[in-house]
């Protein structure tokens, strides 16, 4: 095909305009206070379920999952199966707790459990730093892909993406974010299904050829990739599955952008439905992504003359732009933008919520709901602009390796943070001093493992950080009780 055309650009613009209009529709009702932060109680569980899926599947995942399968094997596919660990733990121990306490934010739980406002502020502060960095990267990566394929200036694409997310996050609150996330999630799912359908019919031998590649040619797992290693903290299918399970578990219980979805209702049955629904959806769509990657591998092996149009690190986007019909390419690349928009809008709203309710409220006291909502809107505007600026700096600086380093480092935050939540939920005697000690200890251990030339796989970081926080936090709490009793 001829690549990305003006027709495709037109399709992309129409799609972005529709998303913007949908977001603005929810701004007709003046959302105030808890309605702005938690919705108005009319959002169906299945909308929230798709929203969680769209939030967690950033464009980083959207582009890399296919690339992983194309360039290598399916070993990282097992990471998605970590849902079978994360979801039951969340559903059994945390969803009923959050529902019972009727919390407004994830970090309100820390204040209630430990009777310590400082822990609430600490949790919110770490989440905000993590989320600002993540949003900046999320804006940069898909904009880079589209800039390479369309010739549009990357700065223009970053600003456009950021402004659209800011507008409907600013005006409509969480309800607008959830419904637009739902639309974006559907576009993404329908888009990848469409690509898979076209791709299978483009391959000689079709579905059977791809299956044969997986089962007989080592594309599923290579001979060097082990199911279980006796050195349990070395890379293997087992540690990837378990480690990813604890990573996802950490997001579910301690990341405000996910926990905020759980605050939309106190009905535990609905909470369970949205969580299990998200898990099933995530596993199915991830499997489709990996299957597409293997199918692309077969397609380009059968058509070596077309490989010149396929950028190795952007194989999925390249196939969409150069091999699909005009117009369809624009719609499918809109799905990549959709993944970014969902992550951005969620990030802006969750940061605004956490800053307003967890930091400003604790440090400066209660204010009227109207003023509280205005502050939240202002925060989403300022943070959105800040993320745009950081993303543009990234795009114009030759420090691409730093992006992965920064994202990897910030990803450690949630595992360390989750340790305090687990400590508080699974131990009755843990106190605030123990929580601080556990937090600091696990942070030091993980930083040492990451930057101390350790051979331990990064998939084990969340497991280690939670265990360290549990052990140290409990011991310090126990010792404090003994000292307090003796005195």
């Amino acid at each position: 095909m001829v690549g990305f055309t003006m027709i495709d650009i037109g399709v992309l613009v129409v799609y972005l305009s529709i998303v913007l209009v949908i977001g603005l529709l929810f701004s007709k009702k003046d959302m105030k206070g808890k309605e702005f932060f938690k919705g108005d109680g009319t959002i169906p569980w299945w909308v929230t379920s798709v929203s969680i899926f769209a939030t967690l599947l950033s464009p980083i995942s959207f582009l890399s999952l296919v690339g992983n399968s194309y360039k290598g094997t399916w070993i990282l596919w097992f990471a998605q199966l970590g849902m079978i660990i994360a979801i039951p733990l969340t559903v059994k121990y945390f969803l009923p707790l959050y529902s019972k306490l009727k919390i407004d934010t994830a970090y309100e739980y820390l204040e209630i459990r430990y009777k310590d406002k400082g822990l609430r502020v600490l949790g919110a502060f770490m989440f905000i730093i993590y989320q600002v960095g993540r949003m900046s990267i999320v804006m940069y990566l898909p904009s880079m892909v589209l800039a390479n394929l369309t010739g549009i200036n990357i700065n223009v694409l970053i600003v456009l993406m950021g402004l659209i997310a800011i507008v409907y996050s600013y005006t409509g609150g969480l309800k607008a974010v959830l419904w637009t996330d739902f639309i974006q999630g559907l576009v993404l799912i329908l888009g990848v299904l469409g690509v898979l359908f076209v791709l299978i019919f483009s391959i000689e031998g079709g579905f059977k050829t791809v299956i044969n590649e997986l089962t007989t040619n080592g594309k599923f797992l290579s001979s060097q990739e082990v199911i279980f290693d006796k050195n349990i903290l070395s890379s293997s299918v087992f540690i990837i599955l378990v480690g990813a399970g604890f990573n996802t578990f950490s997001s579910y219980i301690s990341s405000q952008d996910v926990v905020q979805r759980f605050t939309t209702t106190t009905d535990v049955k609905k909470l369970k439905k949205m969580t299990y629904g998200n898990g099933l959806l995530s596993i199915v769509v991830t499997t489709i992504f990996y299957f597409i990657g293997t199918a692309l591998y077969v397609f380009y092996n059968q058509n070596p003359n077309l490989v010149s149009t396929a950028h190795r690190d952007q194989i999925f986007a390249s196939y969409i732009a150069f091999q699909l019909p005009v117009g369809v390419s624009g719609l499918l690349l809109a799905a990549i933008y959709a993944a970014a928009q969902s992550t951005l809008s969620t990030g802006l709203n969750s940061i605004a919520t956490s800053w307003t309710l967890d930091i400003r409220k604790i440090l400066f006291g209660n204010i009227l709901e109207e003023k509280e909502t205005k502050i939240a809107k202002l925060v989403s505007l300022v943070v959105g602009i800040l993320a745009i600026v950081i993303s543009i700096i990234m795009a114009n600086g030759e420090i691409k390796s730093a992006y992965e380093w920064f994202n990897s480092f910030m990803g450690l935050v949630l595992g360390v943070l989750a340790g305090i939540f687990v400590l508080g939920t699974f131990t009755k005697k843990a106190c605030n001093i123990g929580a601080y000690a556990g937090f600091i200890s696990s942070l030091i251990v993980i930083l040492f493992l990451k930057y101390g030339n350790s051979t331990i796989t990064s998939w084990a970081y969340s497991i280690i950080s939670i265990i360290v926080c549990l052990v140290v936090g409990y011991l310090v709490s126990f010792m404090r009780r003994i000292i307090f009793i003796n005195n």
Side-chain angles (χ1 to χ4, degrees), residues 177-381:
V177 170
L178 290 175
W179 275 104
T180 48
D181 276 3
F182 177 72
I183 301 298
Q184 312 266 39
L186 288 183
V187 170
L188 188 154
I189 294 167
L190 293 174
V192 296
L193 285 174
V195 170
L196 180 60
F197 180 80
V198 172
L199 185 56
I200 291 300
F201 278 88
S202 302
I203 293 172
E204 185 178 341
F207 187 78
K208 289 183 178 179
T209 304
V210 181
I211 293 296
N212 183 66
E213 189 68 36
L214 282 172
T215 56
T216 63
N217 295 336
K219 198 65 177 165
F220 188 68
L221 284 178
S222 71
S223 57
Q224 288 78 35
E225 293 167 339
V226 297
I227 302 296
F228 181 84
D229 194 312
K230 61 182 180 180
N231 182 357
I232 197 170
L233 297 181
S234 295
S235 184
S236 67
V237 169
F238 172 78
I239 197 63
I240 288 173
L241 191 155
V242 176
F246 276 88
N247 285 341
T248 304
F249 174 62
S250 298
S251 294
Y252 277 167
I253 67 172
S254 66
S255 186
Q256 173 60 15
D257 53 350
V258 179
V259 175
Q260 192 170 5
R261 271 89 180 127
F262 298 148
T263 67
T264 58
T265 179
T266 57
D267 187 326
V268 176
K269 289 184 178 180
K270 289 183 178 179
L271 288 172
K272 288 181 178 180
K273 285 180 180 179
M274 74 171 66
T275 308
Y276 280 114
N278 164 65
L280 179 62
L281 189 60
S282 298
I283 291 174
V284 170
V285 174
T286 298
T287 303
I288 293 173
F289 277 133
Y290 271 87
F291 199 84
I292 287 174
T294 303
L296 285 173
Y297 178 82
V298 174
F299 174 79
Y300 283 116
N301 277 343
Q302 291 183 353
N303 301 275
N305 58 308
L306 299 177
V307 176
S308 60
T309 65
H311 303 287
R312 186 173 176 83
D313 294 331
Q314 302 170 18
I315 188 67
F316 192 24
S318 295
Y319 175 82
I320 291 171
F322 291 99
Q323 305 304 325
L324 294 181
V326 172
V328 177
S329 297
L331 183 61
L332 267 295
L333 287 174
I336 296 178
Y337 234 60
Q341 288 286 343
S342 296
T343 304
L344 283 176
S345 60
T346 297
L348 289 173
N349 190 267
S350 60
I351 287 176
T353 301
S354 197
W355 174 271
T356 305
L357 301 183
D358 291 319
I359 297 179
R360 196 223 61 79
K361 187 175 182 178
I362 296 300
L363 297 180
F364 302 104
N366 293 316
I367 54 176
L368 294 175
E369 282 192 348
E370 285 189 15
K371 192 171 182 180
E372 196 172 59
T373 306
K374 287 180 180 179
I375 291 174
K377 289 184 175 183
L378 180 61
V379 170
S380 66
L381 176 62

Side-chain angles (χ1 to χ4, degrees), residues 9-23:
I9 293 176
V11 171
L12 181 61
V13 170
V14 169
Y15 166 78
L16 294 176
S17 300
I18 291 173
V19 170
L20 183 58
V21 170
I22 291 173

